[in-house]
Amino acid sequence: PWYLCNHRGITHAALGLAVMAVVVGGVAAAIGRLLRPEEPTRLGSLVLAAGLGLASHLLLDGLNTYGIRPWLPFVETWYY
């Protein structure tokens, strides 16, 4: 289906996962600094947590019949 081919594009690939983990971790760190400026915010921990959450999403998407293309934009092979 057209929707799944586009939905499971670069955002459902290793490169997209890495970029999104840094962005989500950075946003969470910025919010933490705004809400509690007196406490140090651990950017690395937040990026790791975001990466693990995103990776679990990709893992679960890879278990269904539509699959994922984890090596986009370099390889377009679907894995189911």
Side-chain angles (χ1 to χ4, degrees):
W2 180 86
Y3 167 74
L4 287 174
C5 288
N6 289 297
H7 170 71
R8 294 197 179 165
I10 192 72
T11 60
H12 280 65
L15 182 62
L17 182 146
V19 171
M20 286 189 301
V22 170
V23 170
V24 170
V27 168
I31 291 170
R33 286 188 194 113
L34 285 174
L35 296 177
R36 295 183 180 217
E38 68 281 354
E39 294 182 25
T41 304
R42 294 183 171 181
L43 178 62
S45 297
L46 293 169
V47 170
L48 179 62
L52 290 173
L54 291 164
S56 70
H57 177 87
L58 292 185
L59 177 66
L60 292 172
D61 276 352
L63 295 176
N64 64 36
T65 57
Y66 294 115
I68 57 172
R69 295 179 288 176
W71 309 122
L72 278 178
F74 310 108
V75 179
E76 294 204 16
T77 304
W78 284 88
Y79 294 91
Y80 308 92

